Amino acid sequence: MSAENVADFDLVIVGAGLAGAALALAVADLPLKVALVEAQAVREGWPPIDESVFDYDARVSALTEASRSFLEGVGAWSDIASRRACAYTDMDVWDGEGTGRIHFAASEVKRAALGHIVENRLINASLINNLRENGRVKCYFGTPVDTMSRHQGLISLQLAGGKIVRSPVVVAADGANSKVRDWAGFVTREWDYHHHAIVATVETERPHGKTAWQRFLPEGPLAFLPLPDNADEQRYCSIVWSVKPEIAEQLMLLDDDDFCRELGAKFEHRLGAVVACSRRFSFPLRQRHAADYVCDGVVLLGDAAHTIHPLAGQGINLGFQDAMVLAEECRRACDRGLALSDTAVLSRYQRRRKGGNLAMMAMMEGFQHLFETPAMPLRLLRNTGMRWLDSALPLKRQIIAKAMGLSDKPQ
Ligand SMILES: Cc1cc2nc3c(=O)[nH]c(=O)nc-3n(C[C@H](O)[C@H](O)[C@H](O)COP(=O)(O)OP(=O)(O)OC[C@H]3O[C@@H](n4cnc5c(N)ncnc54)[C@H](O)[C@@H]3O)c2cc1C
């Protein structure tokens, strides 16, 4: 291999999705040589922001206050907030099979909002634009990593086109089907939810009231997440509809009018009729968790370490917390003159992140089973429990704080 074809770094991040790009920005100002490698071409500037069901990104994230504050800390939030984000003030959750209902309000915890719904492409554009402006991270875009090998304490990644990047530490932020994770031999525990999530943007007859709506059905949860619009008519929502794969297949085959009718009925017409719908996408849902996050200089981040049911919208929120903690550990190592590959540095990251991620995944699994079970005693328990919880303000405050990624103490 010729010397000009090889580049050496202190840290290489594979994957410029939300988690990888956020980590790159969070470590950009450290005294480290960092590279970010992304398989896909990455557009320059901002995505167009028009207003119709066809122009919103079908992939959105419900960002917690903890994630918003992390994005603010790395300088990526103000650009997002000034373009398009919906601060939602309320959340309405109800049992599709009974009378149980819980309403959460930001006012109950003396906050202006419970969180923000933001299109993924906007978050990504803000992270990448800030990285480009900063200029300290070497970006290789449109160049997938093809192979990985190890030699004398360095991990070598061969990129499409022949370039080789080497580093003692490689972060796998290459998503749920991470190749870097598999090449490094990490063990994962995974299982199929037997659910597919259909996502789309819809227009509704009545305004969403800056409320995130979720109906739990035995076949899976259905969420309507409020989207922002300039005139504040509040008619656009992003939907996440989890159903069995065979039902998803049928729903995907419906024409738009029939799909809107089915969707409106399943949502009990809480926002009136569903009047229009964008192109739909369907994702199979698998839960996956790596037994370890660190192995011989390779570190797992975001969906490469854990994928979780989208019912509580926590996936990228966990990924941003991973990025924040890993960046903190890199900073700590630099301050103390430690090499990033020092086992103590990376194992601190694993220790700080694994327990919390596992707990959130277990909670989501519990929720899914609770609402999937049609047996009468559980249905009664669910409905009585939800009604009781709705009136138990101190406990509700703790749940809201947890869901916002804040401390358990009421605000
Ligand atoms: C239907 C649905 C709804 C969701 N809603 C929410 C929500 O409301 N809130 C929330 O917090 N989370 C939500 N999630 C989860 C969230 O979308 C994911 O957790 C998040 O996108 C994962 O980000 P990531 O950066 O870890 O991985 P990804 O977004 O998958 O990024 C991985 C990147 O790595 C690149 N890559 C892959 N292979 C290579 C390679 N060989 N070389 C170089 N680059 C490579 C890919 O091109 C990609 O850019 C939802 C998920 C689903 C399926």
Side-chain angles (χ1 to χ4, degrees):
M1 73 184 100
S2 68
E4 66 271 20
N5 227 14
V6 181
D8 287 325
F9 295 92
D10 300 311
L11 178 68
V12 174
I13 303 164
V14 180
L18 300 184
L23 174 67
L25 194 56
V27 297
D29 287 324
L30 296 182
L32 295 170
K33 249 185 110 186
V34 180
L36 176 64
V37 183
E38 166 56 44
Q40 296 175 44
V42 177
R43 65 178 301 152
E44 302 237 351
W46 293 97
I49 298 200
D50 299 323
E51 270 172 25
S52 88
V53 286
F54 307 109
D55 291 311
Y56 289 87
D57 187 359
R59 292 293 301 269
V60 305
S61 295
L63 297 180
T64 59
E65 174 52 24
S67 292
R68 191 209 61 75
S69 146
F70 167 62
L71 290 173
E72 187 164 54
V74 297
W77 178 251
S78 60
D79 284 339
I80 294 171
S82 66
R83 279 176 174 77
R84 198 151 76 177
C86 178
Y88 63 100
T89 55
D90 295 76
M91 183 183 273
D92 213 78
V93 180
W94 74 103
D95 186 347
E97 293 287 285
T99 52
R101 171 178 182 258
I102 308 181
H103 185 89
F104 297 103
S107 56
E108 286 170 332
V109 285
K110 299 190 174 57
R111 292 265 172 175
L114 290 175
H116 289 80
I117 310 290
V118 188
E119 294 151 86
N120 285 9
R121 67 177 179 197
L122 206 55
I123 308 173
N124 207 254
S126 182
L127 292 167
I128 298 289
N129 291 345
N130 276 285
L131 266 176
R132 282 187 164 129
E133 251 166 57
N134 176 287
R136 295 200 66 243
V137 172
K138 174 77 185 159
C139 295
Y140 297 96
F141 291 159
T143 51
V145 175
D146 282 342
T147 60
M148 182 175 112
S149 58
R150 292 173 192 275
H151 189 59
Q152 293 181 336
L154 284 180
I155 301 166
S156 284
L157 303 171
Q158 168 131 27
L159 314 189
K163 183 94 193 170
I164 290 170
V165 292
R166 300 190 304 192
S167 173
V169 179
V170 167
V171 174
D174 50 344
N177 299 312
S178 168
K179 279 193 180 152
V180 175
R181 179 188 64 213
D182 295 347
W183 289 328
F186 282 89
V187 174
T188 56
R189 179 172 170 254
E190 44 192 281
W191 61 97
D192 206 320
Y193 281 119
H194 303 296
H195 270 175
H196 280 204
I198 297 179
V199 298
T201 308
V202 299
E203 187 179 348
T204 57
E205 196 181 1
R206 292 204 296 266
H208 51 58
K210 298 194 176 162
T211 299
W213 308 80
Q214 189 151 34
R215 183 182 184 202
F216 279 96
L217 291 150
E219 64 266 30
L222 167 62
F224 273 53
L225 305 174
L227 291 171
D229 61 293
N230 277 333
D232 204 25
E233 289 182 359
Q234 303 181 12
R235 296 282 179 74
Y236 297 114
C237 285
S238 178
I239 62 139
V240 184
W241 190 357
S242 308
V243 286
K244 303 256 175 265
E246 56 281 9
I247 302 180
E249 208 174 303
Q250 290 164 16
L251 289 172
M252 291 299 284
L253 288 172
L254 294 179
D255 67 28
D256 283 356
D257 287 346
D258 287 344
F259 180 79
C260 288
R261 242 188 315 275
E262 283 284 324
L263 178 65
K266 272 289 178 232
F267 192 57
E268 296 179 325
H269 303 293
R270 290 280 165 120
L271 300 177
V274 175
V275 294
C277 151
S278 71
R279 189 175 156 205
R280 293 155 245 160
F281 298 88
S282 172
F283 300 92
L285 298 178
R286 278 183 83 72
Q287 171 141 308
R288 189 183 286 107
H289 193 244
D292 289 299
Y293 289 5
V294 174
C295 172
D296 290 338
V298 178
V299 188
L300 305 183
L301 186 91
D303 272 22
H306 43 73
T307 50
I308 180 173
H309 199 292
L311 74 87
Q314 286 296 335
I316 196 51
N317 290 305
L318 299 183
F320 282 150
Q321 292 308 301
D322 292 349
M324 187 182 81
V325 169
L326 186 52
E328 280 172 10
E329 291 307 328
C330 291
R331 184 175 303 277
R332 188 171 181 274
C334 291
D335 290 347
R336 292 170 182 229
L338 296 172
L340 295 189
S341 54
D342 192 313
T343 339
V345 174
L346 299 181
S347 50
R348 272 177 64 89
Y349 159 71
Q350 164 159 315
R351 246 192 340 268
R352 288 180 63 192
R353 288 307 301 147
K354 209 172 118 182
N357 287 343
L358 258 176
M360 179 61 80
M361 294 176 87
M363 195 160 85
M364 289 309 110
E365 215 191 324
F367 257 112
Q368 198 221 340
H369 288 313
L370 181 65
F371 283 95
E372 243 183 15
T373 311
M376 191 50 105
L378 258 188
R379 246 170 69 185
L380 275 175
L381 184 71
R382 249 173 15 215
N383 285 295
T384 322
M386 281 174 101
R387 282 199 304 272
W388 173 78
L389 183 59
D390 199 41
S391 58
L393 193 56
L395 186 56
K396 254 173 96 180
R397 283 193 179 129
Q398 284 188 28
I399 293 175
I400 297 173
K402 192 117 209 127
M404 290 171 79
L406 304 169
S407 82
D408 289 348
K409 295 192 184 66
Q411 305 299 308

